[in-house]
Amino acid sequence: MRIAQIAPLFESVPPKLYGGTERVVDNLTRGLLAEGHEVTVFCSGDSKVPGEIHAVHPESLRLSTQKILDPVAYQFKALAAVAERAHEFDVIHNHYDYLLLALERMCSTPLVTTMHGRMDLPDLPIALEGYRDSALVSISNAQRRPLTRMNWVKTIQHALNASEFRFYEKPGRYLAFLGRFSPEKGAHLAIEIALKSGIPLKMAAKIDEPDREYFEKILRPKIDGKFIEYVGEISEPEKSDFLGNALALAFPINWPEPFGLVMIEAMACGTPILARPVGSVPEVVTEGITGFIRESVNELAALVVTQIPRLNRRRIRSHVENRYSIERMTQEYLDVYRNLGKSREGAISEIKRFAHHRRNFLHSVNGSADRDTKGIA
């Protein structure tokens, strides 16, 4: 099968630092190639993903050496690049959310879109109004709830290569926060959990400009470099040590997280999760086995000392290996691709059948008219 993967241009594939969607594209591409398929990835030119790379822009937008004023301009460029080559592929897999759904109107190649973002934004139904029949994949069942009328063909959870993460048998002596500093990610709540439990917190996160004020006013005053420590934004090779040496991952989110890749990354190291029951969390964390889910900070803090050390870290690692493998994710997406192909073939057959009946009908009508004319003559 010839497959096109369209990645966001904000990060390289895989990302050098922070980045979830781009990491999923990398893992899926590797899985598809291992199954013998041909894969072309439309992405930034500094990507290292295997397969064929079609560089839409030389650099990832976030780390670009040139100032990016309008990211949508590059998304629009990606749209044209894929449309021009669409005839080369059996299926196009869009990871750019709704912005590239217009490809359906521009080419006949089947298109499937994995929605990686939140679905509860007030203006989103307006954007999707004309695409009710588009094939969409959700990354958790919780993600799709705000838009139940869309054509959700499957929920496919993310995956990772567990062998890329080192397993840590013994619990560490600090809590870890990894991701992005923003109010919805709950770094301020992670600090509260640390203070209430008496266990130090290390935070590794990127800071986007819109969240700079949150960091400066809410987080920075509480960072003392000892008990509450900010280590900066870490790279992929640094993740295992950071997550594996932690007692637990603090994940007290305040938003409907579509998936939360960091949760399974922590679990791959044997590290359990402390999370609030929001978004995908109840689908990813298995209560009492891979972590604990509680509503309040006080409840989560109480579990840090009493329950977290009792969890079997090897069992947590095995859970990830069995449930979140790249092979599983790849096969689920291949099922979607094949079903799309069958639907398209069925639609083409139906069109041909209709055209055949129409020709026979017109031939019959024209024949009757000829006989009537001859009779009158």
Side-chain angles (χ1 to χ4, degrees):
M1 192 179 295
R2 299 164 301 168
I3 303 164
Q5 299 283 328
I6 313 173
L9 301 174
F10 297 105
E11 309 287 346
S12 60
V13 181
K16 296 179 177 66
L17 297 170
Y18 180 89
T21 300
E22 297 83 3
R23 201 170 306 285
V24 172
V25 174
D26 181 65
N27 285 334
L28 178 56
T29 298
R30 293 174 187 275
L32 293 169
L33 290 170
E35 291 291 324
H37 300 282
E38 298 178 25
V39 185
T40 299
V41 184
F42 291 79
C43 55
S44 62
D46 53 353
S47 297
K48 304 298 183 184
V49 61
E52 180 190 345
I53 292 177
H54 182 118
V56 178
H57 185 67
E59 302 174 296
S60 59
L61 301 186
R62 184 168 75 95
L63 302 178
S64 178
T65 53
Q66 95 179 62
K67 190 173 183 179
I68 304 298
L69 299 177
D70 183 11
V72 176
Y74 300 87
Q75 296 165 352
F76 196 70
K77 183 181 179 182
L79 178 70
V82 180
E84 186 175 359
R85 295 188 58 187
H87 64 280
E88 300 177 25
F89 307 112
D90 299 308
V91 64
I92 298 171
H93 189 166
N94 169 34
H95 296 270
Y96 234 138
D97 288 344
Y98 71 87
L99 289 168
L100 266 66
L101 282 175
L103 278 166
E104 287 189 338
R105 307 290 195 267
M106 301 168 67
C107 60
S108 59
T109 305
L111 174 76
V112 61
T113 297
T114 295
M115 304 297 281
H116 289 270
R118 63 192 300 173
M119 297 290 101
D120 63 336
L121 300 176
D123 295 330
L124 192 54
I126 297 173
L128 295 176
E129 181 64 34
Y131 295 92
R132 289 270 177 85
D133 295 328
S134 298
L136 304 182
V137 170
S138 53
I139 55 179
S140 67
N141 292 326
Q143 181 197 28
R144 62 167 73 176
R145 286 175 191 149
L147 292 174
T148 56
R149 296 177 62 188
M150 299 304 295
N151 180 29
W152 298 105
V153 296
K154 196 175 182 65
T155 290
I156 302 178
Q157 293 188 334
H158 291 335
L160 50 71
N161 182 355
S163 65
E164 294 179 353
F165 293 83
R166 289 188 298 280
F167 170 66
Y168 293 74
E169 183 79 49
K170 296 182 179 179
R173 298 182 178 180
Y174 63 88
L175 298 176
F177 177 90
L178 175 62
R180 172 169 54 87
F181 281 149
S182 63
E184 64 268 18
K185 290 288 188 177
H188 59 291
L189 298 179
I191 292 175
E192 284 190 44
I193 293 171
L195 294 172
K196 291 178 183 293
S197 67
I199 303 297
L201 174 69
K202 292 185 179 183
M203 299 184 290
K206 78 163 182 171
I207 308 172
D208 289 331
E209 280 309 308
D211 298 314
R212 177 67 61 178
E213 184 177 0
Y214 165 74
F215 173 74
E216 296 294 342
K217 291 187 176 181
I218 306 298
L219 302 182
R220 187 186 285 279
K222 298 179 181 179
I223 298 173
D224 59 9
K226 296 178 180 179
F227 192 81
I228 306 297
E229 183 181 357
Y230 175 44
V231 302
E233 187 177 356
I234 63 175
S235 64
E236 190 69 11
E238 298 173 289
K239 278 186 179 179
S240 287
D241 280 344
F242 181 77
L243 292 171
N245 283 315
L247 176 64
L249 174 74
F251 197 71
I253 56 173
N254 268 328
W255 73 302
E257 179 79 57
F259 184 79
L261 195 60
V262 66
M263 288 191 284
I264 63 173
E265 291 175 337
M267 289 190 285
C269 298
T271 302
I273 316 300
L274 287 166
R276 298 184 63 248
V278 186
S280 66
V281 168
E283 298 174 50
V284 178
V285 178
T286 303
E287 177 72 18
I289 296 176
T290 63
F292 296 98
I293 305 170
R294 296 292 186 274
E295 182 67 43
S296 74
V297 166
N298 289 337
E299 290 177 298
L300 290 172
L303 292 168
V304 173
V305 177
T306 61
Q307 299 298 323
I308 285 293
R310 299 180 182 180
L311 297 181
N312 186 321
R313 292 172 74 94
R314 188 164 294 280
R315 186 179 182 186
I316 295 172
R317 167 72 174 216
S318 297
H319 178 82
V320 170
E321 291 173 333
N322 294 332
R323 183 171 174 178
Y324 294 105
S325 70
I326 291 177
E327 292 77 13
R328 183 272 306 163
M329 179 178 69
T330 301
Q331 290 304 321
E332 291 186 352
Y333 273 117
L334 283 172
D335 288 343
V336 170
Y337 299 163
R338 293 180 182 116
N339 287 334
L340 280 178
K342 290 177 183 177
S343 298
R344 181 172 179 270
E345 289 172 5
I348 292 174
S349 297
E350 190 62 32
I351 292 171
K352 289 181 177 178
R353 191 179 305 113
F354 173 79
H356 175 72
H357 289 314
R358 183 174 182 273
R359 283 194 300 271
N360 287 344
F361 173 74
L362 292 176
H363 178 73
S364 174
V365 170
N366 291 335
S368 297
D370 289 342
R371 287 193 297 272
D372 291 343
T373 301
K374 292 176 181 176
I376 293 172

